[in-house]
Amino acid sequence: MKLHSKLKGKGQPLIILHGFLGMGDNWKTLANAYAKEGFEVHLVDQRNHGRSPHDDAFSYDLLAEDLKEYLKEKDLESVSIIGHSMGGKTAMRFATLFPNRVDKLIIVDIAPKYYAPHHQQILEGLTRISEAKLTSRTDADELLAEYISEKGVRQFLLKNLYWKTQEELNLRLNLSALKQNIEEVGKGLPQNASYTGKTLFIKGEKSNYIQESDKADISRHFPDFEIRGIENAGHWVHAEQRDAFFELSLDHLKS
């Protein structure tokens, strides 16, 4: 699968993998900051997200293979990777399958464990939008507000809107495939999967995605790991505390 991406800067290759229902553009501001520090940043849209192709098949093995094909296409031998949430799961799987292709690894607010499906309300709201044939972003926000009260979350999700025709808005997401494969999104790493390179896990202190009880599981898969928390941040830690996240991540990338 030929993934869509946007490139920023020149230098050491850095792949950024967005989370579930996101896209590479979510990281544009941080990408510009990394580019100024000597990185060639690849903002990649994963399958069924953003401008990348749609496909009914969806698993972390497939997403890791997609990334491998992307590196081949771009003639990249080894790369540093930052992966958030679902993108973090992709990054973890890629590192365990192709360890020689990974330089630095940063996993953002996700553990290698199984997570039960918990996006049903969001998916229901997005499905309503996709079926409503809306003609304004305001209408889309009002409809989504019936399902999601947090304005910031709605703004993040509504970045998926685009003009399907001159008169009709729709979503770039392949909602049917994502809903059909929602169990796959929550899957953990295979028991025997491991990556021995140094791995930084960054968590939002207000998020419950990485808990104290996850450390044993993390250490089994990633024996050389460190977990660093950022105060006053939830699951979207990179957006909520951008400066602190940038400083922490850059320190690891340049170590």
Side-chain angles (χ1 to χ4, degrees):
M1 177 173 285
K2 187 166 180 167
L3 299 177
H4 176 269
S5 69
K6 286 185 180 175
L7 271 60
K8 306 277 186 181
K10 294 188 184 301
Q12 297 172 264
L14 170 62
I15 306 285
I16 298 182
L17 300 173
H18 60 81
F20 186 56
L21 306 176
M23 63 183 76
D25 265 2
N26 299 146
W27 286 76
K28 194 163 49 178
T29 303
L30 276 165
N32 290 330
Y34 292 124
K36 287 177 184 174
E37 293 291 337
F39 291 91
E40 179 185 84
V41 187
H42 296 247
L43 293 173
V44 176
D45 290 346
Q46 299 187 85
R47 66 167 59 202
N48 296 322
H49 291 76
R51 294 175 184 267
S52 280
H54 290 185
D55 195 282
D56 288 342
F58 188 90
S59 72
Y60 287 113
D61 280 1
L62 281 173
L63 269 59
E65 283 290 338
D66 289 346
L67 183 55
K68 184 187 176 190
E69 285 300 308
Y70 179 84
L71 298 195
K72 183 180 177 183
E73 178 205 339
K74 299 295 184 185
D75 198 25
L76 299 172
E77 193 55 43
S78 71
V79 297
S80 294
I81 307 175
I82 298 174
H84 172 242
S85 200
M86 181 192 82
K89 287 278 187 81
T90 303
M92 286 189 270
R93 189 61 183 131
F94 182 85
T96 62
L97 287 169
F98 313 110
N100 295 335
R101 310 298 297 272
V102 180
D103 184 13
K104 307 287 184 181
L105 183 62
I106 299 176
I107 308 300
V108 186
D109 213 61
I110 199 79
K113 67 182 180 183
Y114 167 76
Y115 292 81
H118 53 284
H119 296 96
Q120 290 91 328
Q121 191 86 346
I122 288 174
L123 290 170
E124 200 176 323
L126 292 174
T127 301
R128 283 279 309 281
I129 285 175
S130 70
E131 294 170 349
K133 297 187 177 178
L134 297 169
T135 56
S136 86
R137 291 176 181 272
T138 302
D139 289 347
D141 185 52
E142 286 176 2
L143 194 158
L144 199 55
E146 296 175 24
Y147 298 85
I148 303 156
S149 59
E150 301 94 333
K151 187 173 178 61
V153 176
R154 294 201 306 276
Q155 287 175 330
F156 161 75
L157 294 167
L158 291 174
K159 286 182 179 176
N160 287 292
L161 282 174
Y162 77 107
W163 289 102
K164 184 179 178 182
T165 67
Q166 285 190 323
E167 285 123 18
E168 185 189 332
L169 284 163
N170 213 317
L171 298 164
R172 294 196 185 278
L173 296 161
N174 184 0
L175 274 178
S176 61
L178 295 175
K179 288 193 291 186
Q180 185 181 314
N181 291 288
I182 194 65
E183 279 287 342
E184 290 289 333
V185 176
K187 275 195 175 173
L189 279 180
Q191 285 297 311
N192 61 349
S194 68
Y195 170 72
T196 57
K198 191 175 179 184
T199 306
L200 174 65
F201 287 78
I202 298 177
K203 72 182 291 287
E205 292 288 16
K206 295 197 292 186
S207 169
N208 63 1
Y209 272 72
I210 298 178
Q211 301 181 358
E212 191 68 27
S213 57
D214 296 324
K215 282 186 176 178
D217 192 35
I218 290 171
S219 67
R220 188 170 73 252
H221 294 291
F222 301 93
D224 189 4
F225 81 99
E226 181 183 12
I227 300 175
R228 298 286 299 274
I230 293 180
E231 291 184 359
N232 300 314
H235 185 53
W236 284 277
V237 53
H238 55 287
E240 295 170 45
Q241 295 294 336
R242 188 177 288 133
D243 292 346
F245 179 89
F246 178 69
E247 191 177 321
L248 194 55
S249 58
L250 187 66
D251 187 51
H252 182 75
L253 291 169
K254 293 204 164 186
S255 64

PDB file of all heavy atoms in Angstrom, residues 18-23 26 46 48-50 86 119 122-123 126 148 156-160 173-175 178-179 182 185 236:
ATOM      1  N   HIS A  18       0.418   9.021  13.481  1.00  0.00           N
ATOM      2  CA  HIS A  18      -0.729   9.575  14.210  1.00  0.00           C
ATOM      3  C   HIS A  18      -1.545   8.466  14.888  1.00  0.00           C
ATOM      4  O   HIS A  18      -1.364   7.276  14.636  1.00  0.00           O
ATOM      5  CB  HIS A  18      -1.630  10.339  13.239  1.00  0.00           C
ATOM      6  CG  HIS A  18      -2.169   9.470  12.148  1.00  0.00           C
ATOM      7  ND1 HIS A  18      -3.268   8.632  12.318  1.00  0.00           N
ATOM      8  CD2 HIS A  18      -1.757   9.265  10.870  1.00  0.00           C
ATOM      9  CE1 HIS A  18      -3.499   7.973  11.208  1.00  0.00           C
ATOM     10  NE2 HIS A  18      -2.599   8.331  10.306  1.00  0.00           N
ATOM     11  N   GLY A  19      -2.484   8.889  15.711  1.00  0.00           N
ATOM     12  CA  GLY A  19      -3.362   7.965  16.413  1.00  0.00           C
ATOM     13  C   GLY A  19      -4.634   7.650  15.631  1.00  0.00           C
ATOM     14  O   GLY A  19      -4.855   8.130  14.513  1.00  0.00           O
ATOM     15  N   PHE A  20      -5.483   6.839  16.246  1.00  0.00           N
ATOM     16  CA  PHE A  20      -6.759   6.413  15.668  1.00  0.00           C
ATOM     17  C   PHE A  20      -7.620   7.625  15.349  1.00  0.00           C
ATOM     18  O   PHE A  20      -7.788   8.530  16.170  1.00  0.00           O
ATOM     19  CB  PHE A  20      -7.469   5.507  16.687  1.00  0.00           C
ATOM     20  CG  PHE A  20      -8.725   4.860  16.195  1.00  0.00           C
ATOM     21  CD1 PHE A  20      -8.732   4.071  15.059  1.00  0.00           C
ATOM     22  CD2 PHE A  20      -9.918   5.017  16.891  1.00  0.00           C
ATOM     23  CE1 PHE A  20      -9.892   3.451  14.611  1.00  0.00           C
ATOM     24  CE2 PHE A  20     -11.084   4.409  16.460  1.00  0.00           C
ATOM     25  CZ  PHE A  20     -11.063   3.624  15.314  1.00  0.00           C
ATOM     26  N   LEU A  21      -8.150   7.659  14.133  1.00  0.00           N
ATOM     27  CA  LEU A  21      -9.031   8.719  13.629  1.00  0.00           C
ATOM     28  C   LEU A  21      -8.296  10.035  13.389  1.00  0.00           C
ATOM     29  O   LEU A  21      -8.921  11.068  13.178  1.00  0.00           O
ATOM     30  CB  LEU A  21     -10.239   8.953  14.570  1.00  0.00           C
ATOM     31  CG  LEU A  21     -11.072   7.720  14.899  1.00  0.00           C
ATOM     32  CD1 LEU A  21     -12.170   8.057  15.900  1.00  0.00           C
ATOM     33  CD2 LEU A  21     -11.685   7.107  13.638  1.00  0.00           C
ATOM     34  N   GLY A  22      -6.961   9.981  13.419  1.00  0.00           N
ATOM     35  CA  GLY A  22      -6.159  11.171  13.155  1.00  0.00           C
ATOM     36  C   GLY A  22      -5.555  11.141  11.765  1.00  0.00           C
ATOM     37  O   GLY A  22      -5.973  10.393  10.879  1.00  0.00           O
ATOM     38  N   MET A  23      -4.522  11.974  11.570  1.00  0.00           N
ATOM     39  CA  MET A  23      -3.790  12.035  10.303  1.00  0.00           C
ATOM     40  C   MET A  23      -2.457  12.724  10.562  1.00  0.00           C
ATOM     41  O   MET A  23      -2.262  13.359  11.609  1.00  0.00           O
ATOM     42  CB  MET A  23      -4.595  12.795   9.241  1.00  0.00           C
ATOM     43  CG  MET A  23      -4.841  14.242   9.586  1.00  0.00           C
ATOM     44  SD  MET A  23      -5.873  15.103   8.371  1.00  0.00           S
ATOM     45  CE  MET A  23      -7.486  14.457   8.777  1.00  0.00           C
ATOM     46  N   ASN A  26      -2.049  16.381  11.895  1.00  0.00           N
ATOM     47  CA  ASN A  26      -2.233  16.713  13.309  1.00  0.00           C
ATOM     48  C   ASN A  26      -0.909  17.127  13.965  1.00  0.00           C
ATOM     49  O   ASN A  26      -0.901  17.804  14.991  1.00  0.00           O
ATOM     50  CB  ASN A  26      -2.806  15.529  14.093  1.00  0.00           C
ATOM     51  CG  ASN A  26      -4.168  15.071  13.597  1.00  0.00           C
ATOM     52  OD1 ASN A  26      -4.468  13.881  13.641  1.00  0.00           O
ATOM     53  ND2 ASN A  26      -4.992  15.989  13.113  1.00  0.00           N
ATOM     54  N   GLN A  46      -1.671   6.744   7.990  1.00  0.00           N
ATOM     55  CA  GLN A  46      -1.778   5.297   7.975  1.00  0.00           C
ATOM     56  C   GLN A  46      -3.018   4.863   7.166  1.00  0.00           C
ATOM     57  O   GLN A  46      -3.916   5.666   6.930  1.00  0.00           O
ATOM     58  CB  GLN A  46      -1.832   4.765   9.404  1.00  0.00           C
ATOM     59  CG  GLN A  46      -0.558   5.123  10.193  1.00  0.00           C
ATOM     60  CD  GLN A  46      -0.503   4.464  11.549  1.00  0.00           C
ATOM     61  OE1 GLN A  46      -0.077   3.341  11.698  1.00  0.00           O
ATOM     62  NE2 GLN A  46      -0.943   5.197  12.569  1.00  0.00           N
ATOM     63  N   ASN A  48      -6.460   3.756   5.739  1.00  0.00           N
ATOM     64  CA  ASN A  48      -7.837   4.092   6.148  1.00  0.00           C
ATOM     65  C   ASN A  48      -7.935   5.426   6.886  1.00  0.00           C
ATOM     66  O   ASN A  48      -8.971   5.746   7.467  1.00  0.00           O
ATOM     67  CB  ASN A  48      -8.457   2.971   6.997  1.00  0.00           C
ATOM     68  CG  ASN A  48      -8.606   1.687   6.224  1.00  0.00           C
ATOM     69  OD1 ASN A  48      -8.924   1.706   5.039  1.00  0.00           O
ATOM     70  ND2 ASN A  48      -8.359   0.554   6.867  1.00  0.00           N
ATOM     71  N   HIS A  49      -6.851   6.198   6.873  1.00  0.00           N
ATOM     72  CA  HIS A  49      -6.815   7.515   7.515  1.00  0.00           C
ATOM     73  C   HIS A  49      -6.259   8.549   6.535  1.00  0.00           C
ATOM     74  O   HIS A  49      -5.469   8.220   5.653  1.00  0.00           O
ATOM     75  CB  HIS A  49      -5.935   7.493   8.765  1.00  0.00           C
ATOM     76  CG  HIS A  49      -6.488   6.692   9.896  1.00  0.00           C
ATOM     77  ND1 HIS A  49      -6.462   5.309   9.906  1.00  0.00           N
ATOM     78  CD2 HIS A  49      -7.065   7.067  11.073  1.00  0.00           C
ATOM     79  CE1 HIS A  49      -7.004   4.881  11.049  1.00  0.00           C
ATOM     80  NE2 HIS A  49      -7.371   5.928  11.759  1.00  0.00           N
ATOM     81  N   GLY A  50      -6.658   9.808   6.737  1.00  0.00           N
ATOM     82  CA  GLY A  50      -6.109  10.893   5.931  1.00  0.00           C
ATOM     83  C   GLY A  50      -6.274  10.642   4.449  1.00  0.00           C
ATOM     84  O   GLY A  50      -7.323  10.226   3.973  1.00  0.00           O
ATOM     85  N   MET A  86      -2.685   4.617  18.508  1.00  0.00           N
ATOM     86  CA  MET A  86      -2.649   3.586  17.483  1.00  0.00           C
ATOM     87  C   MET A  86      -1.323   3.616  16.729  1.00  0.00           C
ATOM     88  O   MET A  86      -0.744   2.569  16.402  1.00  0.00           O
ATOM     89  CB  MET A  86      -3.806   3.783  16.500  1.00  0.00           C
ATOM     90  CG  MET A  86      -3.874   2.744  15.394  1.00  0.00           C
ATOM     91  SD  MET A  86      -5.048   3.208  14.072  1.00  0.00           S
ATOM     92  CE  MET A  86      -4.020   4.322  13.106  1.00  0.00           C
ATOM     93  N   HIS A 119     -14.279   3.522  21.590  1.00  0.00           N
ATOM     94  CA  HIS A 119     -14.531   4.657  20.705  1.00  0.00           C
ATOM     95  C   HIS A 119     -15.933   4.620  20.093  1.00  0.00           C
ATOM     96  O   HIS A 119     -16.210   5.327  19.129  1.00  0.00           O
ATOM     97  CB  HIS A 119     -13.501   4.674  19.562  1.00  0.00           C
ATOM     98  CG  HIS A 119     -12.094   4.888  20.010  1.00  0.00           C
ATOM     99  ND1 HIS A 119     -11.214   3.848  20.217  1.00  0.00           N
ATOM    100  CD2 HIS A 119     -11.406   6.023  20.297  1.00  0.00           C
ATOM    101  CE1 HIS A 119     -10.042   4.332  20.597  1.00  0.00           C
ATOM    102  NE2 HIS A 119     -10.129   5.644  20.654  1.00  0.00           N
ATOM    103  N   ILE A 122     -17.802   7.960  19.616  1.00  0.00           N
ATOM    104  CA  ILE A 122     -17.169   8.774  18.582  1.00  0.00           C
ATOM    105  C   ILE A 122     -17.512   8.229  17.193  1.00  0.00           C
ATOM    106  O   ILE A 122     -17.893   8.976  16.289  1.00  0.00           O
ATOM    107  CB  ILE A 122     -15.637   8.807  18.784  1.00  0.00           C
ATOM    108  CG1 ILE A 122     -15.285   9.678  20.007  1.00  0.00           C
ATOM    109  CG2 ILE A 122     -14.923   9.329  17.545  1.00  0.00           C
ATOM    110  CD1 ILE A 122     -13.821   9.673  20.382  1.00  0.00           C
ATOM    111  N   LEU A 123     -17.387   6.921  17.022  1.00  0.00           N
ATOM    112  CA  LEU A 123     -17.663   6.315  15.710  1.00  0.00           C
ATOM    113  C   LEU A 123     -19.118   6.497  15.302  1.00  0.00           C
ATOM    114  O   LEU A 123     -19.425   6.697  14.122  1.00  0.00           O
ATOM    115  CB  LEU A 123     -17.289   4.832  15.740  1.00  0.00           C
ATOM    116  CG  LEU A 123     -15.788   4.537  15.805  1.00  0.00           C
ATOM    117  CD1 LEU A 123     -15.542   3.071  16.087  1.00  0.00           C
ATOM    118  CD2 LEU A 123     -15.094   4.964  14.513  1.00  0.00           C
ATOM    119  N   LEU A 126     -19.427  10.114  14.090  1.00  0.00           N
ATOM    120  CA  LEU A 126     -18.798  10.270  12.774  1.00  0.00           C
ATOM    121  C   LEU A 126     -19.625   9.599  11.679  1.00  0.00           C
ATOM    122  O   LEU A 126     -19.707  10.109  10.558  1.00  0.00           O
ATOM    123  CB  LEU A 126     -17.377   9.703  12.802  1.00  0.00           C
ATOM    124  CG  LEU A 126     -16.363  10.475  13.655  1.00  0.00           C
ATOM    125  CD1 LEU A 126     -15.040   9.732  13.713  1.00  0.00           C
ATOM    126  CD2 LEU A 126     -16.156  11.900  13.118  1.00  0.00           C
ATOM    127  N   ILE A 148     -20.184  14.018  21.546  1.00  0.00           N
ATOM    128  CA  ILE A 148     -18.919  14.343  22.211  1.00  0.00           C
ATOM    129  C   ILE A 148     -18.999  15.755  22.760  1.00  0.00           C
ATOM    130  O   ILE A 148     -19.154  16.723  22.006  1.00  0.00           O
ATOM    131  CB  ILE A 148     -17.737  14.244  21.219  1.00  0.00           C
ATOM    132  CG1 ILE A 148     -17.667  12.845  20.603  1.00  0.00           C
ATOM    133  CG2 ILE A 148     -16.416  14.569  21.894  1.00  0.00           C
ATOM    134  CD1 ILE A 148     -16.977  12.798  19.281  1.00  0.00           C
ATOM    135  N   PHE A 156     -10.442  18.076  16.762  1.00  0.00           N
ATOM    136  CA  PHE A 156      -9.478  17.082  16.274  1.00  0.00           C
ATOM    137  C   PHE A 156     -10.150  16.168  15.243  1.00  0.00           C
ATOM    138  O   PHE A 156      -9.616  15.931  14.161  1.00  0.00           O
ATOM    139  CB  PHE A 156      -8.953  16.278  17.465  1.00  0.00           C
ATOM    140  CG  PHE A 156      -8.329  14.955  17.109  1.00  0.00           C
ATOM    141  CD1 PHE A 156      -7.071  14.883  16.537  1.00  0.00           C
ATOM    142  CD2 PHE A 156      -9.002  13.763  17.357  1.00  0.00           C
ATOM    143  CE1 PHE A 156      -6.497  13.664  16.203  1.00  0.00           C
ATOM    144  CE2 PHE A 156      -8.438  12.533  17.035  1.00  0.00           C
ATOM    145  CZ  PHE A 156      -7.179  12.497  16.448  1.00  0.00           C
ATOM    146  N   LEU A 157     -11.331  15.666  15.561  1.00  0.00           N
ATOM    147  CA  LEU A 157     -12.027  14.733  14.676  1.00  0.00           C
ATOM    148  C   LEU A 157     -12.485  15.402  13.385  1.00  0.00           C
ATOM    149  O   LEU A 157     -12.439  14.800  12.308  1.00  0.00           O
ATOM    150  CB  LEU A 157     -13.223  14.115  15.401  1.00  0.00           C
ATOM    151  CG  LEU A 157     -12.884  13.206  16.580  1.00  0.00           C
ATOM    152  CD1 LEU A 157     -14.131  12.923  17.415  1.00  0.00           C
ATOM    153  CD2 LEU A 157     -12.257  11.904  16.097  1.00  0.00           C
ATOM    154  N   LEU A 158     -12.912  16.672  13.489  1.00  0.00           N
ATOM    155  CA  LEU A 158     -13.458  17.359  12.323  1.00  0.00           C
ATOM    156  C   LEU A 158     -12.386  17.798  11.334  1.00  0.00           C
ATOM    157  O   LEU A 158     -12.698  18.274  10.241  1.00  0.00           O
ATOM    158  CB  LEU A 158     -14.307  18.556  12.767  1.00  0.00           C
ATOM    159  CG  LEU A 158     -15.619  18.168  13.475  1.00  0.00           C
ATOM    160  CD1 LEU A 158     -16.332  19.389  14.016  1.00  0.00           C
ATOM    161  CD2 LEU A 158     -16.541  17.380  12.543  1.00  0.00           C
ATOM    162  N   LYS A 159     -11.113  17.597  11.688  1.00  0.00           N
ATOM    163  CA  LYS A 159     -10.046  17.822  10.706  1.00  0.00           C
ATOM    164  C   LYS A 159     -10.137  16.808   9.565  1.00  0.00           C
ATOM    165  O   LYS A 159      -9.515  16.980   8.517  1.00  0.00           O
ATOM    166  CB  LYS A 159      -8.677  17.755  11.384  1.00  0.00           C
ATOM    167  CG  LYS A 159      -8.381  18.993  12.220  1.00  0.00           C
ATOM    168  CD  LYS A 159      -7.004  18.943  12.840  1.00  0.00           C
ATOM    169  CE  LYS A 159      -6.745  20.210  13.641  1.00  0.00           C
ATOM    170  NZ  LYS A 159      -5.458  20.190  14.344  1.00  0.00           N
ATOM    171  N   ASN A 160     -10.907  15.737   9.784  1.00  0.00           N
ATOM    172  CA  ASN A 160     -11.121  14.730   8.742  1.00  0.00           C
ATOM    173  C   ASN A 160     -12.108  15.174   7.669  1.00  0.00           C
ATOM    174  O   ASN A 160     -12.262  14.490   6.653  1.00  0.00           O
ATOM    175  CB  ASN A 160     -11.633  13.430   9.379  1.00  0.00           C
ATOM    176  CG  ASN A 160     -10.548  12.686  10.132  1.00  0.00           C
ATOM    177  OD1 ASN A 160      -9.614  12.165   9.542  1.00  0.00           O
ATOM    178  ND2 ASN A 160     -10.670  12.652  11.460  1.00  0.00           N
ATOM    179  N   LEU A 173     -11.868   9.451   6.448  1.00  0.00           N
ATOM    180  CA  LEU A 173     -11.714   8.154   7.106  1.00  0.00           C
ATOM    181  C   LEU A 173     -12.493   7.040   6.398  1.00  0.00           C
ATOM    182  O   LEU A 173     -13.581   7.278   5.886  1.00  0.00           O
ATOM    183  CB  LEU A 173     -12.243   8.241   8.540  1.00  0.00           C
ATOM    184  CG  LEU A 173     -11.519   9.185   9.500  1.00  0.00           C
ATOM    185  CD1 LEU A 173     -12.416   9.499  10.676  1.00  0.00           C
ATOM    186  CD2 LEU A 173     -10.206   8.570   9.963  1.00  0.00           C
ATOM    187  N   ASN A 174     -11.933   5.839   6.429  1.00  0.00           N
ATOM    188  CA  ASN A 174     -12.674   4.661   5.980  1.00  0.00           C
ATOM    189  C   ASN A 174     -13.407   4.099   7.202  1.00  0.00           C
ATOM    190  O   ASN A 174     -12.969   3.147   7.835  1.00  0.00           O
ATOM    191  CB  ASN A 174     -11.717   3.620   5.394  1.00  0.00           C
ATOM    192  CG  ASN A 174     -12.446   2.411   4.829  1.00  0.00           C
ATOM    193  OD1 ASN A 174     -13.661   2.327   4.870  1.00  0.00           O
ATOM    194  ND2 ASN A 174     -11.685   1.465   4.313  1.00  0.00           N
ATOM    195  N   LEU A 175     -14.527   4.721   7.510  1.00  0.00           N
ATOM    196  CA  LEU A 175     -15.250   4.387   8.746  1.00  0.00           C
ATOM    197  C   LEU A 175     -15.707   2.936   8.786  1.00  0.00           C
ATOM    198  O   LEU A 175     -15.625   2.280   9.824  1.00  0.00           O
ATOM    199  CB  LEU A 175     -16.466   5.306   8.909  1.00  0.00           C
ATOM    200  CG  LEU A 175     -16.230   6.659   9.582  1.00  0.00           C
ATOM    201  CD1 LEU A 175     -17.535   7.440   9.607  1.00  0.00           C
ATOM    202  CD2 LEU A 175     -15.693   6.479  10.989  1.00  0.00           C
ATOM    203  N   LEU A 178     -12.825   0.713   9.751  1.00  0.00           N
ATOM    204  CA  LEU A 178     -12.374   0.958  11.126  1.00  0.00           C
ATOM    205  C   LEU A 178     -13.371   0.385  12.133  1.00  0.00           C
ATOM    206  O   LEU A 178     -12.979  -0.197  13.146  1.00  0.00           O
ATOM    207  CB  LEU A 178     -12.162   2.455  11.352  1.00  0.00           C
ATOM    208  CG  LEU A 178     -11.025   3.078  10.525  1.00  0.00           C
ATOM    209  CD1 LEU A 178     -10.977   4.587  10.734  1.00  0.00           C
ATOM    210  CD2 LEU A 178      -9.678   2.446  10.857  1.00  0.00           C
ATOM    211  N   LYS A 179     -14.651   0.530  11.844  1.00  0.00           N
ATOM    212  CA  LYS A 179     -15.663  -0.043  12.740  1.00  0.00           C
ATOM    213  C   LYS A 179     -15.615  -1.563  12.713  1.00  0.00           C
ATOM    214  O   LYS A 179     -15.731  -2.228  13.747  1.00  0.00           O
ATOM    215  CB  LYS A 179     -17.063   0.455  12.341  1.00  0.00           C
ATOM    216  CG  LYS A 179     -17.292   1.916  12.684  1.00  0.00           C
ATOM    217  CD  LYS A 179     -18.755   2.319  12.595  1.00  0.00           C
ATOM    218  CE  LYS A 179     -19.261   2.322  11.185  1.00  0.00           C
ATOM    219  NZ  LYS A 179     -20.642   2.842  11.079  1.00  0.00           N
ATOM    220  N   ILE A 182     -12.533  -2.811  14.814  1.00  0.00           N
ATOM    221  CA  ILE A 182     -12.281  -2.079  16.064  1.00  0.00           C
ATOM    222  C   ILE A 182     -11.547  -2.941  17.098  1.00  0.00           C
ATOM    223  O   ILE A 182     -10.737  -2.442  17.876  1.00  0.00           O
ATOM    224  CB  ILE A 182     -13.603  -1.509  16.652  1.00  0.00           C
ATOM    225  CG1 ILE A 182     -13.315  -0.471  17.732  1.00  0.00           C
ATOM    226  CG2 ILE A 182     -14.520  -2.607  17.141  1.00  0.00           C
ATOM    227  CD1 ILE A 182     -12.637   0.773  17.243  1.00  0.00           C
ATOM    228  N   VAL A 185      -7.819  -2.695  16.509  1.00  0.00           N
ATOM    229  CA  VAL A 185      -7.215  -1.436  16.967  1.00  0.00           C
ATOM    230  C   VAL A 185      -6.731  -1.566  18.411  1.00  0.00           C
ATOM    231  O   VAL A 185      -5.701  -1.002  18.788  1.00  0.00           O
ATOM    232  CB  VAL A 185      -8.218  -0.268  16.825  1.00  0.00           C
ATOM    233  CG1 VAL A 185      -7.639   1.025  17.393  1.00  0.00           C
ATOM    234  CG2 VAL A 185      -8.598  -0.075  15.360  1.00  0.00           C
ATOM    235  N   TRP A 236      -3.791  13.267  24.536  1.00  0.00           N
ATOM    236  CA  TRP A 236      -3.186  14.028  23.436  1.00  0.00           C
ATOM    237  C   TRP A 236      -2.072  14.920  23.984  1.00  0.00           C
ATOM    238  O   TRP A 236      -2.041  16.122  23.765  1.00  0.00           O
ATOM    239  CB  TRP A 236      -4.247  14.842  22.699  1.00  0.00           C
ATOM    240  CG  TRP A 236      -5.090  13.996  21.802  1.00  0.00           C
ATOM    241  CD1 TRP A 236      -4.798  13.597  20.530  1.00  0.00           C
ATOM    242  CD2 TRP A 236      -6.370  13.413  22.098  1.00  0.00           C
ATOM    243  NE1 TRP A 236      -5.808  12.814  20.009  1.00  0.00           N
ATOM    244  CE2 TRP A 236      -6.785  12.678  20.952  1.00  0.00           C
ATOM    245  CE3 TRP A 236      -7.207  13.431  23.220  1.00  0.00           C
ATOM    246  CZ2 TRP A 236      -7.989  11.979  20.894  1.00  0.00           C
ATOM    247  CZ3 TRP A 236      -8.394  12.731  23.172  1.00  0.00           C
ATOM    248  CH2 TRP A 236      -8.775  12.017  22.019  1.00  0.00           C
TER     249      TRP A 236
END
